[in-house]
Every structure is written in structure tokens, then in C-alpha cells.
Amino acid sequence: MNVGIIGAGIVGLSSALWLQRAGYRVTLIDSNEPGQGASFGNAGLFADYARLPFARFAMMRKMPGMLIDNQSPLSLQSHYLPDLLPYGWHFFKACFPANYSRGRQALTALQALAPEADRILLKRAEAEGLVRKEGCLGLFETPEGYEEAKAGDLHERRDQGVNLQFLSADEVRELEPGLAGFHAGGVFYPDTRFTISPVELSRRYAECFEARGGCFLRERVGFVDPLPDGVRVQTSMQSITFDHLVVAAGMASKWLSAQLGIKIPMVSERGYHLMLENNDTQLNRPVGWLDKAVFLTPMIEGIRLAGTAEFAGTDAPPSRMRTNVMLQHAKKMLGGEPTVKASWVGSRPSTPDSLPVIGPLRKYPQITLAFGHGHLGLTLASVTGQLVAQTIQGTPTAVEMEAFSPERFQ
């Protein structure tokens, strides 16, 4: 069987490797080089602790205040407000206890399978050296905020099977002596892994894919046309017919899905990063200031400062205020004036219920969707690819797929 994949980000690449492993002939199509977009700019975390949907009434109540506070990690560019209306309605529905509980169960099921799926692909691509298991620190500025988190999200995460340890400020200092004393303590996730180069990880996957006979076309997709016995894809260069098609194109998946009659209330939730000179700062692992939603991650090129959530169009100009706020947070975390080497902004494809879209279309079973991972693209890419391959093979999937159905928002 000949399978086409639109999108060469980490989800598309992972799907390609799993499908190759299952014996399919695979073609990847993307207008950019592999691993660009959100896959390029993430914080590098395999966030095994992230098992709780954002869609909660407690979060909804906080959002208006956060949006008017220019120091908060959440912002909105006014032109994007109309795009948020369908998203907001489905976010509201996802907040109800029964829906939240189903979402939490679905995320936890994916997270349980993710490390083994990662291990298989990392070994296949000979990329194990790009991933380190040093754990991850999440810190809180005040004792009150720390205690509130202990009784709330952190307690719930522990109930979901997350391995975590509560640390005092002194215990944090022992783990990361290079940090300033801006915090009252925090949580340590000893099992969390991170990559020292997200883009190099994608490149290794792409090299492995091509070395095993995969075809990569650097072309822009214009439209998708389902056929009785396959799918025709029109690119900027040619028309290609596949037996099966996987759409894993991040935010571009929204308009591709609309061509097929599927409306996904997915939004562009932009994240920023600043690459800082390492200088004399020594970090051993990712460190998050959770009150501000920013992470510092040691990487090959330096220390990556990543975070914030900005609702804005994919082509909107970057907000200098966002990067300035992040840099102020970094100064407080590191206790000095960091040198900025480079900056970046990119769009996370985010769904209202915090769950990715994974699975075949009911009307067109020869088309499988795989996108909408929000903050968990890197974390869930490998297990998503595994599920895509199982779906196309027609074998039982490793998890129940209903929660990820492309039609769930219809």
C-alpha cells in the first residue's frame, strides 16, 4: 500500500517511521524542511506529567483576568477574536465534569504508552543520544501558590500515576545551584525526559525515513480529493494518488480538513522562545517557573527560554512585549542579564478539549487525521504515529480511539 503524509513535523515524521516499520511505502509532503514549525521551537520536553486537560471551569474563570494582564502567560491579538468563538464554545462544553474526566482518562492512556513508543523510534533512528532523562523541575514563587498547587493539580496528577516529589527551596538549590532564589519550592518529575535539540531529532527521523526508502517531497499542498479507491493530492508541482492519506500538517490541517467537510475548532496558540547564551549558567535539566508558564531547557545551542500562550494568526507579527516579559522572567530565574542569541515564534495547533485529533474519517476511511496536539506534540508524537499505523493496518489500537475522533466536534 502506498501512503502519503501531509506534514513533516514531529507527528508526521513519527507516523512515517511507524508506517515504514509496518511495511508500507510512504511519501512525506511539506513545503518546509522536516521539523520546522512548532516542532522546531518547543521547550524540548517529553512532558509525561501533562495528563490534565486545560479545559476546566477553574481555568475558564481565570482567563479574562489573564488576558488583560500584560504580564500573564496568556494573551490575545484582537484580530484573532472571531476565530476563538467556536473554540470557546467547545472549551466551555469540555469543562463539564464528565467531559473533563473523559479527557483526563484519554490523555493518561496516551501518556502510559508514549515512553515505549519513543524508545522504539529513537532506537530505529539512532537518536537516543539526543534525549536525556534528568527529570524536570517546576517551581513556584510563593508558599501560598505552592500549597495551592499541591492540593490541586499536583495531587490530581499523582492520582493519575505521575511520579513526582515535592521539594523545598533548599532541595531545589541542591539540584540546580545555578538558579537564583526566586522560588519557595517546587515539584520534581524524576522520569521526565528532554531533547537537547528538537530540530536535530526531527532531522534524524527524516534521515532514517529516507535511508529506508521513504520519499520526501518539498511541495505545497493545494487540495485533497477523495477517490473511490484512494486519495488524490494536488501539490504545487504535481498530482499524486495514494491508497491512504495521513493529514499531520499542524495548523494547516484545519483548512485541509474543511475541504473534506470536517470543521475542527482548532486555534493557533502561539509560543515563543529565546535562545540564551550559556555563559556561566549551569542547568542540568529543564526548569519551569510555573506561575509564569516559562521553561528554561539546556540544549546544544545554549539555554532555551520557551513559553507563553498567545492566541494570534499564524502570520501575525511577533509581539515584542511577549519576548520582553519572558526575558524579565529569565533574569529573575538566573539572577543576571542573559544574552539573547536568537528568537522564534510558532503556532501550536490547539483543540478546545486538549486532546489531539487522531483517526480515520467516517465518510472517507482512506484518510486519517493526526494533529492538534497543542503543547504535547513532541510528547505524544511517537504514540500518535503508532496509532496511525495501527489504524491503517486495521489492527486493534493500543488505546480506545473515540475520544480523539475527528468527528467529535460536529
Side-chain angles (χ1 to χ4, degrees):
M1 182 186 287
N2 185 19
V3 180
I5 300 176
I6 302 175
I10 193 65
V11 174
L13 290 165
S14 298
S15 298
L17 291 182
W18 278 104
L19 287 164
Q20 268 190 335
R21 188 173 182 265
Y24 294 101
R25 288 174 290 126
V26 184
T27 300
L28 269 171
I29 309 172
D30 200 309
S31 59
N32 293 314
E33 291 298 324
Q36 300 301 307
S39 298
F40 176 88
N42 60 60
L45 284 158
F46 294 85
D48 61 311
Y49 52 82
R51 305 183 182 195
L52 307 179
F54 288 113
R56 286 168 278 176
F57 284 123
M59 175 61 71
M60 180 172 268
R61 285 191 291 269
K62 292 179 182 178
M63 289 176 74
M66 295 174 71
L67 287 171
I68 62 175
D69 178 4
N70 61 17
Q71 295 293 306
S72 88
L74 184 66
S75 64
L76 165 66
Q77 291 196 15
S78 58
H79 73 276
Y80 201 63
L81 185 58
D83 296 82
L84 279 179
L85 296 179
Y87 173 90
W89 169 241
H90 288 281
F91 186 98
F92 171 72
K93 292 196 293 185
C95 289
F96 283 89
N99 294 332
Y100 173 78
S101 180
R102 280 193 292 269
R104 182 180 62 187
Q105 183 178 359
L107 275 179
T108 300
L110 288 182
Q111 290 281 18
L113 298 170
E116 176 60 14
D118 287 330
R119 186 193 67 78
I120 291 170
L121 289 195
L122 289 169
K123 182 178 181 180
R124 186 173 179 85
E126 299 181 354
E128 297 100 325
L130 293 173
V131 176
R132 295 181 181 171
K133 183 180 176 181
E134 302 289 345
C136 169
L137 276 170
L139 305 179
F140 299 88
E141 185 174 15
T142 66
E144 294 78 16
Y146 187 20
E147 293 303 318
E148 181 182 351
K150 280 184 183 179
D153 282 7
L154 299 181
H155 176 77
E156 194 173 355
R157 284 179 178 176
R158 178 171 274 174
D159 283 348
Q160 295 306 112
V162 177
N163 182 18
L164 58 85
Q165 302 165 12
F166 298 126
L167 302 183
S168 67
D170 288 340
E171 289 170 324
V172 169
R173 193 173 301 111
E174 290 179 12
L175 279 178
E176 292 294 346
L179 288 177
F182 68 94
H183 55 84
V187 58
F188 179 53
Y189 300 106
D191 298 333
T192 299
R193 297 159 296 135
F194 71 99
T195 176
I196 55 177
S197 179
V199 69
E200 182 59 27
L201 181 61
S202 292
R203 286 174 183 151
R204 294 282 184 91
Y205 280 13
E207 289 167 2
C208 175
F209 169 71
E210 293 191 282
R212 293 174 181 267
C215 176
F216 175 62
L217 301 177
R218 188 171 177 181
E219 299 174 16
R220 185 176 300 278
V221 172
F223 66 85
V224 173
D225 184 20
L227 305 173
D229 57 351
V231 187
R232 183 167 65 94
V233 176
Q234 181 65 52
T235 76
S236 53
M237 303 290 290
Q238 59 187 306
S239 178
I240 320 168
T241 299
F242 299 104
D243 299 310
H244 201 105
L245 180 70
V246 178
V247 178
M251 276 305 301
S253 304
K254 184 174 181 176
W255 65 263
L256 287 169
S257 300
Q259 290 183 14
L260 301 166
I262 299 295
K263 293 184 179 180
I264 308 290
M266 187 168 69
V267 295
S268 165
E269 185 195 338
R270 300 205 305 180
Y272 289 74
H273 87 224
L274 299 174
M275 188 59 72
L276 311 178
E277 288 280 8
N278 209 338
N279 295 332
D280 297 326
T281 301
Q282 178 63 43
L283 284 184
N284 302 304
R285 57 186 56 80
V287 176
W289 185 354
L290 301 186
D291 309 281
K292 308 298 184 183
V294 293
F295 270 86
L296 293 171
T297 303
M299 294 189 177
I300 293 173
E301 300 90 350
I303 296 175
R304 178 168 292 183
L305 170 67
T308 79
E310 179 191 50
F311 294 118
T314 55
D315 297 328
S319 167
R320 183 176 294 275
M321 183 179 69
R322 289 285 94 199
T323 55
N324 287 343
V325 168
M326 289 174 62
L327 190 57
Q328 292 304 313
H329 297 335
K331 290 177 182 178
K332 193 165 183 179
M333 294 175 79
L334 298 172
E337 186 81 29
T339 301
V340 178
K341 296 172 61 177
S343 64
W344 174 92
V345 60
S347 292
R348 309 179 188 97
S350 295
T351 62
D353 57 6
S354 302
L355 300 179
V357 175
I358 311 171
L361 298 178
R362 290 176 191 154
K363 187 176 181 181
Y364 305 115
Q366 70 273 42
I367 300 176
T368 295
L369 307 187
F371 56 81
H373 294 72
H375 294 250
L376 300 178
L378 178 62
T379 304
L380 301 179
S382 294
V383 70
T384 296
Q386 182 181 27
L387 292 171
V388 165
Q390 290 171 343
T391 296
I392 293 174
Q393 286 176 285
T395 58
T397 52
V399 298
E400 170 57 50
M401 297 293 290
E402 183 179 357
F404 313 110
S405 167
E407 284 87 5
R408 69 185 187 268
F409 299 113
Q410 305 305 303

